[in-house]
């Protein structure tokens, strides 16, 4: 496919779904930090591409983690992520980049166009809850469960109304970076059915658990922290012990040499006493 054709298709897909499907070559650190997005290949359909990009997780972890318990959800608010990890939040126009953690720059990407998400939910409000991707696309919308999860992750998990600091962070994003002001407006009744009062995470579970695990055991950021982690790893325990033994031997030899020298000085003083005149 020619480059101009790829850009044209990417533009059309962005307008329809807010997804960047054209992946340009990027630096190796993007791969190291999990920021690579799967491009849309010519030999697969768009439906298959979306199913690959937004695969639902069926495997169970533990009961609390698989359902993302209330305790875990409360832990990963924007206020706590900023306070304990020093994270900053970067608005993105790409749905596929939502909740991607850029460890190199200590940045979390957050999809900013919540008004678009709400329109998708209005379109699919009266449809079956698990409508296949192909059927959703025929209606001009993305899968309802996926859109619900993205909206809920923004308004209820990252920036919950009950957390003043997180809401202040959202307001700052709106004022400073042009984040969609609609994100501050909660519209449960108009968008959700009674069965959708609590939304379980199926598409975004891994990304949210990654944030939770980062809070529990932060990975090193920057050269100094990485150096400390490398040299405190268990594989260096034996090396550190060996270095300690060598230093102890050297100190022992030095102490012995000092003792010998002192004995020689004492012997010379005994052999050649200094007489006073």
């Amino acid at each position: 496919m020619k480059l101009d054709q790829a850009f044209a298709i990417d533009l059309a897909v962005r307008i329809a779904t807010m997804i960047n499907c054209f992946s340009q070559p990027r630096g190796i650190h993007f791969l190291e930090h999990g920021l690579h997005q799967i491009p849309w290949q010519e030999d697969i359909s768009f439906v298959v591409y979306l199913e690959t990009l937004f695969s639902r997780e069926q495997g169970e972890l533990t009961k609390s983690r698989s359902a993302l318990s209330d305790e875990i959800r409360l832990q990963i608010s924007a206020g706590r992520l900023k306070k304990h990890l020093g994270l900053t939040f970067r608005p993105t126009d790409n749905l596929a980049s939502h909740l991607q953690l850029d460890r190199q720059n200590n940045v979390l990407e957050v999809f900013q166009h919540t008004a678009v998400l709400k329109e998708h939910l209005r379109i699919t409000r009266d449809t079956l809850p698990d409508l296949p991707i192909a059927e959703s696309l025929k209606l001009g919308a993305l899968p309802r469960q996926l859109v619900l999860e993205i909206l809920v992750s923004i308004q209820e998990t990252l920036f919950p109304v009950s957390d003043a600091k997180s809401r202040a962070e959202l307001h700052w994003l709106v004022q400073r970076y042009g984040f969609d002001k609609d994100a501050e407006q909660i519209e449960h009744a108009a968008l959700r059915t009674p069965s959708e009062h609590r939304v379980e995470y199926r598409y975004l579970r891994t990304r949210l658990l990654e944030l939770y695990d980062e809070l529990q055991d932060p990975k090193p950021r920057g050269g100094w922290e990485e150096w400390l982690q490398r040299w405190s790893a268990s594989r260096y325990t034996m090396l550190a012990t060996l270095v300690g033994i060598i230093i102890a031997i050297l100190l022992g030899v030095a102490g012995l040499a000092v003792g010998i020298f002192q004995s020689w000085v004492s012997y010379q003083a005994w052999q050649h006493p200094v007489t006073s005149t």
Side-chain angles (χ1 to χ4, degrees):
M1 183 184 296
K2 294 181 179 179
L3 190 61
D4 56 345
Q5 291 178 323
F7 276 118
I9 293 175
D10 179 60
L11 179 60
V13 172
R14 284 193 187 196
I15 294 173
T17 63
M18 303 300 293
I19 295 172
N20 176 10
C21 65
F22 178 67
S23 181
Q24 301 183 39
R26 307 178 83 174
I28 188 66
H29 71 276
F30 282 91
L31 297 177
E32 293 175 350
H33 296 281
L35 299 178
H36 178 67
Q37 180 182 320
I38 303 172
W40 182 15
Q41 304 293 341
E42 296 181 50
D43 57 344
I44 64 174
S45 69
F46 186 60
V47 172
V48 173
Y49 172 66
L50 288 184
E51 289 174 345
T52 304
L53 199 60
F54 300 109
S55 58
R56 288 176 54 157
E57 301 174 21
Q58 303 296 338
E60 294 295 324
L61 300 174
T62 63
K63 183 176 181 181
S64 62
R65 286 171 65 88
S66 64
L68 227 65
S69 66
D70 291 336
E71 179 183 355
I72 292 178
R73 296 186 190 213
L74 289 174
Q75 290 286 322
I76 50 183
S77 66
R80 289 184 59 84
L81 292 173
K82 183 175 182 178
K83 177 181 178 181
H84 296 286
L85 299 178
L87 284 184
T88 56
F89 305 93
R90 179 168 58 207
T92 178
D93 300 324
N94 184 11
L95 267 177
S97 296
H98 180 61
L99 295 183
Q100 278 198 339
L101 179 58
D102 179 357
R103 288 192 175 88
Q104 180 74 15
N105 299 302
N106 210 27
V107 170
L108 181 68
E109 297 201 15
V110 182
F111 183 71
Q112 64 176 324
H113 302 294
T114 55
V116 174
L117 298 175
K118 292 178 180 180
E119 287 304 317
H120 281 259
L121 291 177
R122 290 187 179 95
I123 292 173
T124 58
R125 193 178 190 281
D126 297 323
T127 63
L128 296 174
D130 289 325
L131 196 66
I133 290 180
E135 297 301 317
S136 297
L137 291 176
K138 288 179 182 178
L139 297 174
L142 288 169
R144 182 171 181 82
Q145 176 67 26
L146 171 63
V147 177
L148 268 174
E149 288 184 30
I150 295 173
L151 184 62
V152 169
S153 69
I154 296 170
Q155 294 190 321
E156 298 180 18
T157 301
L158 284 179
F159 307 106
V161 176
S162 58
D163 186 341
K165 291 184 178 179
S166 295
R167 294 299 290 185
E169 185 69 24
L170 174 60
H171 185 71
W172 186 83
L173 288 173
V174 171
Q175 299 296 320
R176 177 67 175 81
Y177 290 108
F179 201 95
D180 194 347
K181 188 175 178 58
D182 176 81
E184 298 180 293
Q185 307 301 319
I186 308 298
E187 303 176 52
H188 284 181
L191 302 174
R192 300 196 208 178
T193 62
S195 63
E196 295 169 338
H197 174 70
R198 177 185 171 85
V199 176
E200 298 296 344
Y201 287 109
R202 300 171 186 170
Y203 292 97
L204 301 181
R205 184 176 68 187
T206 296
R207 295 186 184 184
L208 289 167
L209 284 174
E210 181 184 7
L211 292 174
Y212 175 74
D213 291 338
E214 190 73 14
L215 277 170
Q216 303 306 305
D217 183 21
K219 292 181 174 59
R221 293 172 173 82
W224 173 247
E225 291 186 7
E226 290 177 357
W227 183 88
L228 282 177
Q229 186 190 54
R230 285 201 304 270
W231 285 95
S232 62
S234 58
R235 64 179 179 271
Y236 288 105
T237 301
M238 185 62 70
L239 178 59
T241 303
L242 180 60
V243 170
I245 292 173
I246 292 173
I247 292 175
I249 292 173
L250 292 175
L251 290 174
V253 171
L256 179 62
V258 170
I260 293 173
F261 177 74
Q262 288 176 337
S263 298
W264 180 81
V265 170
S266 299
Y267 175 76
Q268 292 298 317
W270 177 72
Q271 286 288 326
H272 307 284
V274 178
T275 59
S276 59
T277 60

